[in-house]
Amino acid sequence: MAEYRYELYMADLKRVTAEEAVRRGHALTACVVTFGCQMNARDSEKLLGILLEAGFEESASEEADLVVINTCTVRENANTRLYGHLGHLNSMKREHPDKIIALCGCMMQEADEVEKIRKKYRFVDIVFGTHNLYQFAELLLRRMTGEKRVIEVWEKEREIVEDLPVRREVPWKSGVNIMFGCNNFCSYCIVPYVRGRERSRAPEEILAEVRRLAADGVIEVMLLGQNVNSYGKTLPEPVSFASLLREVCRVPGIERVRFMTSHPKDLSDELIRVMSEEPKVCPHLHLPLQSGSDRILAKMNRHYTKAGYLALVEKIRAAMPDISLTTDIIVGFPGETEEDFEETMDVVRQVGFDSAFTFIYSPRTGTPAAALPDQVPKETVDERFKRLLDLVQKTGGERSGRELGKTLPVLVEGEDEHCPGRVTGRLGNNVMVHFPGDLSLIGTIVPVKLTDYHGFYYIGERI
Ligand code: 5AD
Ligand code: SF4
């Protein structure tokens, strides 16, 4: 159970922040920069929640008094980008030595990177990891009350701390963590090492949070877990993800429910049933394929085959013919031959994904795949990547636009930047729609007739 009480530090942090604001002659500003996935985005909302409660003002500019960078390390280029960014922050700090720079997130769970920052990036004031994010108020307080540098990263996960303050990016939708960590150890993936073992939140805690969000005006929630299909298996009283999903749909005020991510190896029939029966569950499923070759899937430790994946897609489409399917694919896993790659292309052709995120394999230190022989030469990978991208665009294009002429609910998200007088929103399957309407519609769901299709978005009219 949660023992840690972040509020114990909050009163002091509030006082110190207020004193510092007087000393600097202005309210302190904070900018939180997020790299990576939805999980990080949700963590950043908690960091910002803590900062606002402490008396900081939110700023979109890195000129702020405090800059927090929430890092990602899933592929090497995420790390490279951080170091580029740090150079820039260093020059800003030279001009404003009072600036506080904090780094957190997945990359800070890698001991080598933290050592590098400790030695070579001495202007960084605070470093913490994914497991002690909830200590942020305490660490910031220590820095602001005289400690020169505060570097504290825990190697292992500890308890789940509930009820941290949160600043949502938008008022009408919110991510909700249902579990943390991952036990799957796909051989290319660093996530289990930086996010720790799987822990599920109690269903009562999740439902209480969803009810609070609904009372606060949220109409769309995205349930977040590295593999939501293993939700609840290790709770004292095991609960399936499908039953949690059904309960979340029961919360009055919640109109749309999404979730991310569902691993093909253990997507249950019960989940397919709940998805098809519950109108609030959005008609979209992200189902990472990674590769279409049985040989590579085995080396990736994915626990399904090409035929198994295709059979699953067939079952899902039989239950929900209109569902949008999206996926993740890695090109150039060690030992991938032309035949292996053609198997991936074949799955893309057969499934016809609505869209796919394609990645070039990036060796991550400490993962089993990074030590494999037969890393594929760069030219070969680049050439395959391009072929895959072309195919994904072609098959995506063939499926898209299929809702043309229908009237569907659209959640309005903002003004159409290119056309004042029009608003922009999303269908349940995430596709964008622009239609004439005023700003009072933002954050509400309205029926819109889809009258025109332009490649990636619809034009419509409100009915
Ligand atoms: N190299 C390339 N892509 C990766 N992913 C995860 N690890 C790696 C890696 N080492 C991709 C997977 C995953 C997505 C979030 O990132 O496709 O589904
Ligand atoms: Fe990484 Fe696999 Fe876990 Fe996803 S399921 S986070 S790809 S190890």
Side-chain angles (χ1 to χ4, degrees):
M1 261 333 314
E3 299 291 341
Y4 185 84
R5 305 267 312 273
Y6 92 95
E7 353 40 284
L8 293 180
Y9 303 94
M10 189 47 92
D12 284 345
L13 183 60
K14 277 183 184 163
R15 183 178 44 76
V16 170
T17 304
E19 286 165 8
E20 187 62 15
V22 172
R23 194 181 71 79
R24 294 191 190 189
H26 61 87
L28 299 194
T29 52
C31 171
V32 179
V33 182
T34 311
F35 289 108
C37 65
Q38 314 263 4
M39 209 57 91
N40 264 17
R42 183 63 179 159
D43 282 349
S44 288
E45 291 185 339
K46 294 177 188 170
L47 295 168
L48 200 56
I50 291 174
L51 289 169
L52 295 189
E53 188 171 327
F56 282 81
E57 280 179 7
E58 180 177 0
S59 163
S61 155
E62 290 179 30
E63 301 283 341
D65 297 294
L66 167 66
V67 177
V68 186
I69 305 195
N70 192 0
T71 63
C72 170
T73 184
V74 75
R75 286 170 292 275
E76 183 62 31
N77 57 6
N79 297 39
T80 318
R81 274 177 68 196
L82 174 72
Y83 287 114
H85 218 91
L86 281 181
H88 181 55
L89 283 175
N90 190 16
S91 37
M92 286 201 232
K93 186 157 175 168
R94 284 216 187 95
E95 281 175 35
H96 300 282
D98 277 346
K99 191 181 189 71
I100 300 178
I101 297 172
L103 303 182
C104 63
C106 293
M107 194 174 150
M108 298 304 115
Q109 289 299 139
E110 293 182 274
D112 292 353
E113 303 290 356
V114 174
E115 255 331 278
K116 184 162 157 187
I117 286 157
R118 191 192 295 276
K119 294 209 179 97
K120 297 197 185 145
Y121 293 81
R122 303 193 66 85
F123 57 92
V124 172
D125 298 277
I126 303 174
V127 175
F128 56 103
T130 58
H131 303 315
N132 63 336
L133 175 131
Y134 57 73
Q135 276 193 311
F136 182 44
E138 177 187 349
L139 304 178
L140 180 59
L141 177 67
R142 277 166 48 188
R143 174 65 187 85
M144 289 177 75
T145 49
E147 243 178 270
K148 260 194 88 54
R149 291 184 96 187
V150 183
I151 299 183
E152 187 152 334
V153 179
W154 299 343
E155 253 177 60
K156 270 196 175 356
E157 65 280 1
R158 297 189 196 169
E159 74 270 41
I160 292 176
V161 172
E162 297 287 350
D163 301 331
L164 290 179
V166 176
R167 166 61 156 209
R168 284 196 303 282
E169 226 175 281
V170 295
W172 61 86
K173 72 173 175 187
S174 179
V176 174
N177 299 107
I178 63 166
M179 56 202 299
F180 300 92
C182 182
N183 288 355
N184 289 304
F185 289 95
C186 301
S187 64
Y188 51 82
C189 184
I190 201 165
V191 168
Y193 305 88
V194 297
R195 288 260 172 198
R197 292 296 66 70
E198 215 167 82
R199 288 95 65 207
S200 293
R201 285 176 73 196
E204 324 62 269
E205 297 279 7
I206 297 169
L207 290 166
E209 179 176 349
V210 174
R211 276 186 222 108
R212 273 198 307 274
L213 289 168
D216 199 30
V218 167
I219 58 173
E220 174 175 314
V221 289
M222 161 89 92
L223 307 178
L224 297 172
Q226 301 298 346
N227 175 17
V228 294
N229 297 330
S230 42
Y231 170 77
K233 292 193 176 146
T234 53
L235 286 171
E237 286 176 48
V239 188
S240 70
F241 173 62
S243 64
L244 176 76
L245 184 62
R246 209 188 275 284
E247 290 297 315
V248 170
C249 291
R250 295 278 173 278
V251 175
I254 297 298
E255 311 218 16
R256 276 186 176 177
V257 184
R258 304 181 184 277
F259 57 86
M260 188 93 125
T261 301
S262 184
H263 194 307
K265 79 178 158 75
D266 52 4
L267 195 157
S268 68
D269 290 351
E270 188 196 5
L271 178 59
I272 298 177
R273 199 171 58 245
V274 171
M275 287 182 74
S276 61
E277 287 173 2
E278 291 291 341
K280 290 182 181 177
V281 177
C282 288
H284 170 218
L285 183 68
H286 187 66
L287 196 63
L289 169 68
Q290 313 301 2
S291 168
S293 151
D294 290 349
R295 214 174 60 81
I296 297 293
L297 285 169
K299 289 215 267 174
M300 287 177 161
N301 195 30
R302 292 287 290 176
H303 298 282
Y304 55 86
T305 58
K306 175 185 178 187
Y309 187 95
L310 289 171
L312 179 61
V313 167
E314 204 168 308
K315 203 156 56 170
I316 294 165
R317 287 232 171 102
M320 295 166 277
D322 286 336
I323 197 164
S324 282
L325 290 176
T326 58
T327 199
D328 292 343
I329 300 171
I330 297 177
V331 180
F333 184 85
E336 182 189 78
T337 62
E338 182 56 29
E339 291 70 45
D340 293 320
F341 177 68
E342 271 305 327
E343 297 281 8
T344 302
M345 297 282 277
D346 188 44
V347 178
V348 173
R349 273 185 217 105
Q350 288 199 47
V351 174
F353 294 105
D354 287 83
S355 72
F357 297 98
T358 50
F359 304 107
I360 288 179
Y361 169 72
S362 167
R364 309 309 294 128
T365 311
T367 62
L372 288 176
D374 304 329
Q375 303 282 332
V376 185
K378 184 174 179 310
E379 311 76 70
T380 312
V381 180
D382 288 348
E383 184 266 335
R384 286 181 193 160
F385 185 79
K386 192 177 169 311
R387 271 156 65 202
L388 177 64
L389 206 61
D390 287 347
L391 181 64
V392 160
Q393 275 163 2
K394 183 167 155 281
T395 54
E398 283 161 8
R399 279 192 64 75
S400 63
R402 64 184 183 278
E403 292 98 350
L404 190 64
K406 290 187 189 167
T407 297
L408 291 173
V410 173
L411 198 172
V412 184
E413 301 205 322
E415 187 175 27
D416 181 349
E417 282 172 16
H418 305 290
C419 185
R422 266 194 346 201
V423 289
T424 293
R426 280 178 198 275
L427 297 174
N429 66 8
N430 248 337
V431 173
M432 304 265 273
V433 183
H434 306 293
F435 65 97
D438 63 77
L439 302 186
S440 67
L441 296 176
I442 293 174
T444 65
I445 295 181
V446 292
V448 175
K449 182 166 187 200
L450 308 176
T451 52
D452 218 343
Y453 183 67
H454 290 253
F456 289 101
Y457 62 89
Y458 290 98
I459 301 292
E461 60 196 43
R462 191 177 167 196
I463 298 295

